Amino acid sequence: LGTNLLSGSVDTAQINFPSTLRSLDLSNNGLTGTIPTNWGGNLLQQSPQLEFLLLNGNSFSGSIPTEIGQWTTLRLLFLQDNLNMAGVGRCDRTGQTDDCSG
């Protein structure tokens, strides 16, 4: 779904994620608001194999839900190029150690 001119806020309560989902790419759209806090429950419970979450290039603002950091399967998280998320870049868990320096 990356680069598809999607806009508005994300309401994950209205989305049924497939249990086999390994990658969610919502990058380079016009998504706004905060990153949904219920992603720590809804998305993770429905898609326990999720490894890649790409949210970069939108207009998200606010803080990153702490639940996202608890996903043990999440290997790559892109958040750069959003509003008011200074210092946030990427988190790469594909190597021997976690590189979540931004």
Side-chain angles (χ1 to χ4, degrees):
L1 298 172
T3 315
N4 272 295
L5 302 175
L6 301 175
S7 62
S9 60
V10 178
D11 183 3
T12 57
Q14 303 298 320
I15 301 172
N16 290 317
F17 297 100
S19 62
T20 56
L21 184 69
R22 290 186 178 267
S23 178
L24 180 58
D25 182 357
L26 295 173
S27 64
N28 301 310
N29 282 293
L31 300 175
T32 60
T34 59
I35 296 173
T37 56
N38 64 347
W39 274 9
N42 191 20
L43 179 56
L44 182 57
Q45 287 175 357
Q46 290 183 27
S47 303
Q49 299 175 30
L50 186 70
E51 295 182 57
F52 306 98
L53 182 58
L54 289 75
L55 303 175
N56 54 295
N58 285 290
S59 295
F60 287 118
S61 60
S63 60
I64 302 166
T66 57
E67 295 87 356
I68 288 178
Q70 298 169 1
W71 294 355
T72 58
T73 58
L74 192 63
R75 296 168 46 119
L76 194 63
L77 172 63
F78 282 162
L79 295 171
Q80 71 270 19
D81 300 324
N82 279 288
L83 297 176
N84 300 320
M85 297 183 103
V88 174
R90 65 186 184 104
C91 183
D92 185 351
R93 291 184 176 162
T94 58
Q96 295 284 17
T97 60
D98 291 355
D99 174 14
C100 300
S101 57

